[in-house]
Amino acid sequence: MPRIFWQIAKEKGPKQRQFFLFNDILVYGNILIAKKRYNKQNLIDLASCCIEDLVDDTQVRNGWLIRTPLKSFAVYAATATEKKEWMMHMQRSVHDLRIKNFVKRVARV
């Protein structure tokens, strides 16, 4: 499920990033050639990830916060619908992965 969003981190300004959502990880990176080549790809383990809604203000809209133990940053979609869909898919993936990991731990006991 690839999509281009704006990433805004506290220490850096807004940058366009390509995001790919999988069942257990979120991959994002710089766009070199549209839909063909990316670099500086980063991986986020969804099991350790939290997703928080950001309220729209006069300067930015359609955003949410991605929190991990090592890094947190805001992501902004082009539309409210795109934001809603991605937040829903990410939250579902995080939830499903945590349940799966819990069941594995219980089965080992």
Side-chain angles (χ1 to χ4, degrees), residues 4-17:
I4 296 173
F5 296 121
W6 287 93
Q7 174 195 10
I8 301 178
K10 287 181 182 178
E11 63 279 357
K12 300 176 184 176
K15 297 186 181 200
Q16 234 180 8
R17 300 281 190 243

Side-chain angles (χ1 to χ4, degrees), residues 54-65:
L54 293 176
V55 178
D56 292 347
D57 65 27
T58 56
Q59 295 180 347
V60 290
R61 302 175 66 88
N62 308 320
W64 66 96
L65 189 65

